[in-house]
Amino acid sequence: MTLLAHGIGGVRDLPLPDWLFLWGGALVLVLSFLLLGTLWQRPKLERTQAGRPFPQRLEASLRSQAMRLLCGTVAVALLILVFLTALIGEPNPSFNLAPTFVYVIFWLGVVALQVVFGNVWSVLNPWRAAADGFAWLWGRLGLTWTPVLAYPERLGVFPAAASLFAYTVLELTYFEPSDPRALALAIAVYSYVTWFGMAAFGRREWTEHGEGFTVYFELFARIAPFGSHDGRLVVRAPLTGLAGADRRPGLLPFVAIMLGSVAFDGVSRSRFWQDLRFGAQGGYVVDRPWLGDAVGMAVNLGGLVGTIVLIAVAYLAAVHLARAMAARRLPLVAE
């Protein structure tokens, strides 16, 4: 099992047989669906989706320009700090802040914040905060910036899915994902693509459709007991934000990447996968270590892509089975 996150953890053997772990997990999953199908036969979440509005003074404080400025400044400062630490700091991952911050504090910590407090990432996003600050300075100079391109609606969140996939490739397939210099390069490339997309299509359009972390964290925020409805912050029952249809193009690949990366993270730590990978690269480790690393990455990449495709196919099969059992021709599949 991983220590905290795949990028900085090592392989750990479970204190029980692999077959027992796998069969136990499968049994829990099947029983969960059987219980849901038996006990939850009518929609219950949509009736409480609106929630209860926040007190106006509290909402005004949380949405104030001062709050956004404070959170945005701290987020941008952290982004710069982590980037410089990765770029010129201690090259040993054990003594460098960047790997722990990226793979634990950021990747896992923001998810916890989203699930508990709602979409706080909207004010903690350092790339959006930096772009907003630049736009403010640009306006103070008496200049205006009009996006040169209109975002194609048919693209949906496909660009965000691509950026999320790139992150999972770094975390789960690269032979040294915790290398600070590799992280510095990844941060630089991601920042460039994000700000270029905002400049080309507009800050809001690219953030909502092309910025992978925003789409990723927003999906988790739907679980939270705090959200928004008709422009107001509301308190609602947990999970109600998941109700309703979301037919943005590219959402199915995006969720498949989310689930597939988690599934492959577990599979890649199994003894079976470790033996498979080491067997493939073992012949090159001594004479050509660079080729051994490349072979290991290729094996992991194939496993990651295969797991993602398997998740998507399983979802489509389940949807078609549900339609057949319900004897209805409803459009259940997201694009």
Side-chain angles (χ1 to χ4, degrees), residues 53-228:
F54 273 41
Q56 290 187 351
R57 288 187 178 181
L58 177 59
E59 181 176 5
S61 298
L62 293 175
R63 286 186 160 177
S64 66
Q65 193 66 27
M67 179 65 73
R68 180 171 289 275
L69 178 62
L70 174 62
C71 294
T73 301
V74 172
V76 172
L78 284 173
L79 176 64
I80 296 173
L81 173 63
V82 173
F83 173 69
L84 292 178
T85 302
L87 182 65
I88 60 177
E90 172 62 49
N92 188 336
S94 300
F95 301 99
N96 193 297
L97 168 68
T100 301
F101 189 92
V102 171
Y103 293 122
V104 180
I105 299 175
F106 169 70
W107 187 239
L108 302 180
V110 175
V111 169
L113 288 176
Q114 295 287 102
V115 170
V116 175
F117 298 109
N119 194 18
V120 297
W121 175 250
S122 62
V123 295
L124 295 178
N125 186 340
W127 295 281
R128 177 62 188 266
D132 288 343
F134 181 83
W136 180 82
L137 290 175
W138 193 261
R140 296 288 291 180
L141 295 174
L143 303 172
T144 57
W145 177 265
T146 303
V148 295
L149 299 173
Y151 190 82
E153 186 176 348
R154 66 180 181 277
L155 277 183
V157 295
F158 277 108
S163 65
L164 180 65
F165 179 72
Y167 175 84
T168 60
V169 168
L170 170 65
E171 182 190 15
L172 301 177
T173 73
Y174 187 56
F175 61 92
E176 289 186 2
S178 60
D179 175 39
R181 304 303 183 254
L183 284 176
L185 178 61
I187 293 171
V189 171
Y190 188 86
S191 299
Y192 175 80
V193 171
T194 299
W195 287 325
F196 181 86
M198 290 180 180
F201 297 103
R203 286 169 287 159
R204 181 175 180 179
E205 285 292 330
W206 188 257
T207 299
E208 294 179 353
H209 298 93
E211 211 267 284
F213 294 128
T214 293
V215 178
Y216 178 80
F217 292 137
E218 188 274 333
L219 291 175
F220 281 103
R222 300 184 185 188
I223 301 174
F226 307 103
S228 61

